[in-house]
Amino acid sequence: MNRVFFFLTILLLGYHATAFGQTLDYKFQSLFVYNIAKYTQWSAIHSSGNLVIGILGNKSIAETFAKSYQDKKIGNQSISIVNYANAADIRYCNILFIPYSTKVDLDNILAYWGNKDVLICTEHEGWGLKGSTVNLVIVDGKIKIEINSASVKKAGIKIASNLTSLATVL
């Protein structure tokens, strides 16, 4: 457990922005989302079965996530990756990841999914304040995590203090 926490810390502090949000190689973002999931707790009804990560937009990003998570689990849950071509296609998922390259109206997504036990993870400057649960942004050339505490509470999920201590809490 300490090794994973150390690895997450190194990723958060040391990964440079040149590969983030400017490439379709989402291996590093998949690691961030995986570690965020490890430190998140959903309600009991959504803590069984597969942990579902929905990727909105580019199918190749979903494929990268699926390859990264092959044979991995979060607790006792296997991980399923689902690609949604557009916002109208979204069905239930534990995590909805909206890549930087995906153009979408966040307000519409938040209106429907914001209070439904879903962690909404984005990569857009300002979307943490706008209401995404977790926003991955670049500050001084490094990936930083923003956590919107009101959105966490509204969604009914819990994020461990190990993660919130490394993040900017809004």
Side-chain angles (χ1 to χ4, degrees):
M1 182 65 109
N2 286 337
R3 205 165 114 184
V4 172
F5 185 70
F6 176 74
F7 181 69
L8 176 64
T9 303
I10 296 301
L11 278 177
L12 291 172
L13 299 176
Y15 182 66
H16 293 278
T18 55
F20 180 74
Q22 298 172 9
T23 179
L24 291 179
D25 183 1
Y26 268 75
K27 291 176 190 168
F28 291 103
Q29 287 89 331
S30 70
L31 290 173
F32 271 85
V33 173
Y34 177 76
N35 282 301
I36 289 166
K38 289 178 79 170
Y39 291 97
T40 301
Q41 181 182 357
W42 287 265
S43 65
I45 195 167
H46 297 292
S47 296
S48 61
N50 289 345
L51 184 117
V52 180
I53 299 175
I55 310 293
L56 184 58
N58 191 318
K59 187 177 180 180
S60 68
I61 294 171
E63 290 169 356
T64 299
F65 272 61
K67 287 178 188 173
S68 294
Y69 299 153
Q70 194 170 19
D71 301 323
K72 289 188 179 180
K73 291 186 172 197
I74 302 292
N76 63 352
Q77 293 180 281
S78 295
I79 302 170
S80 295
I81 303 298
V82 179
N83 180 242
Y84 300 114
N86 57 60
D89 293 339
I90 299 171
R91 301 293 174 256
Y92 178 78
C93 49
N94 297 86
I95 298 174
L96 176 62
F97 181 71
I98 304 172
Y100 181 79
S101 61
T102 301
K103 305 301 178 220
V104 66
D105 183 354
L106 182 63
D107 291 330
N108 285 339
I109 289 175
L110 292 173
Y112 189 78
W113 293 103
N115 61 350
K116 287 190 167 58
D117 203 13
V118 175
L119 186 151
I120 299 171
C121 183
T122 59
E123 300 183 300
H124 293 265
E125 186 69 36
W127 281 20
L129 286 172
K130 198 171 182 180
S132 69
T133 316
V134 173
N135 192 35
L136 305 176
V137 294
I138 298 173
V139 177
D140 297 327
K142 296 183 177 134
I143 296 175
K144 301 292 181 183
I145 295 177
E146 296 176 338
I147 297 174
N148 185 312
S149 58
S151 295
V152 170
K153 185 176 180 178
K154 187 176 178 184
I157 59 178
K158 294 179 183 170
I159 297 178
S161 60
N162 294 4
L163 181 57
T164 58
S165 67
L166 297 172
T168 300
V169 179
L170 309 171

